[in-house]
Amino acid sequence: MAKLNVAPTKSNLLAIKEQLAVSTNGYELLEEKREILVRELMHLVEKVKLLEKDIDKVVAQAYPAFKRMLMVDGADQIERISHGIHYDFDMTEKRVTIGGMGFSSMDVVMPKQELFYSFMGTDANTDATINKFFELLSLLTQMAAIRTIVWRLAEEVKKTQRRVNALDKMIIPQAQETIQYIESVLEERERENVFVLKALKKKNNKK
């Protein structure tokens, strides 16, 4: 690691020591922040995995039910039912605080499930199919909200890791090497000054 290009003076030595102290403190804080963010990220990833299992389970039930509905009711009847179903979803932006940092996500309020069609021309499988797809929609909105946070949190972890690496691999070692260089130069100058003073004293004593 190349040292900083500064003159080996006492004032520069003090300035770089102060810079090193700030960088070391910053490194410790960033490393702590990174660990917190990683823990939170892993926690959210586990939530995503559980949601994925629930979604797979509901999909495995919903689509076979839809196929049965298609066979029993026919495509025309399903289309008529679908035209009658209408829900309004309340979607708002929300702020989530993780590790002392705010992240934007979305909050989807699921509407109350209603019966938009007549019992005539439908059966229990129709209700079961619609219920399963409503449940699937609810899970998908939860997944979307969590994944939005996961993506942004993962990006923040990457940024923090880059800063930690820069401090650990470049800025701190560079400051340490510069301090060693300046101290060695100043010590050498001090020895030379002592040698000169001794020589002058010796010379004066002879006179």
Side-chain angles (χ1 to χ4, degrees), residues 145-179:
I146 292 178
R147 278 193 167 173
T148 300
I149 301 173
V150 167
W151 291 329
R152 290 174 179 167
L153 187 55
E155 187 60 32
E156 190 60 37
V157 169
K158 289 179 184 178
K159 287 165 58 178
T160 304
Q161 185 63 61
R162 285 196 294 267
R163 292 170 184 164
V164 168
N165 289 341
L167 286 168
D168 185 42
K169 305 298 183 185
M170 185 177 68
I171 296 174
I172 290 176
Q174 193 175 50
Q176 290 172 334
E177 186 171 335
T178 304
I179 288 171

Side-chain angles (χ1 to χ4, degrees), residues 128-143:
T129 302
I130 293 173
N131 287 340
K132 281 300 173 184
F133 275 95
F134 194 86
E135 183 181 355
L136 178 59
L137 184 59
S138 176
L139 291 172
L140 290 174
T141 57
Q142 293 177 49
M143 176 68 81

Side-chain angles (χ1 to χ4, degrees), residues 10 12 22 25 27 61 65 68 94 121 134 166 169 176 190:
K10 288 184 178 180
N12 283 338
V22 171
N25 185 53
Y27 169 79
Q61 297 169 345
R68 288 193 298 271
K94 68 175 180 179
F134 194 86
K169 305 298 183 185
Q176 290 172 334
E190 186 67 25

Side-chain angles (χ1 to χ4, degrees), residues 12-89:
N12 283 338
L13 178 62
L14 292 174
I16 294 170
K17 281 186 174 181
E18 184 178 348
Q19 177 187 323
L20 177 60
V22 171
S23 298
T24 302
N25 185 53
Y27 169 79
E28 291 171 355
L29 291 174
L30 282 173
E31 181 63 19
E32 183 179 351
K33 172 187 173 182
R34 187 192 66 82
E35 290 175 359
I36 292 171
L37 293 178
V38 168
R39 283 198 302 269
E40 293 293 341
L41 180 59
M42 292 300 100
H43 177 65
L44 288 175
V45 167
E46 286 302 315
K47 278 189 174 182
V48 169
K49 289 180 180 178
L50 291 174
L51 270 174
E52 285 176 343
K53 288 181 180 179
D54 290 340
I55 289 171
D56 289 342
K57 181 180 177 181
V58 174
V59 166
Q61 297 169 345
Y63 280 93
F66 179 72
K67 288 181 180 179
R68 288 193 298 271
M69 182 180 174
L70 188 60
M71 292 174 62
V72 172
D73 298 333
D76 292 340
Q77 174 67 357
I78 291 175
E79 186 174 0
R80 281 194 294 272
I81 292 173
S82 67
H83 286 321
I85 297 176
H86 177 75
Y87 285 108
D88 291 320
F89 295 88

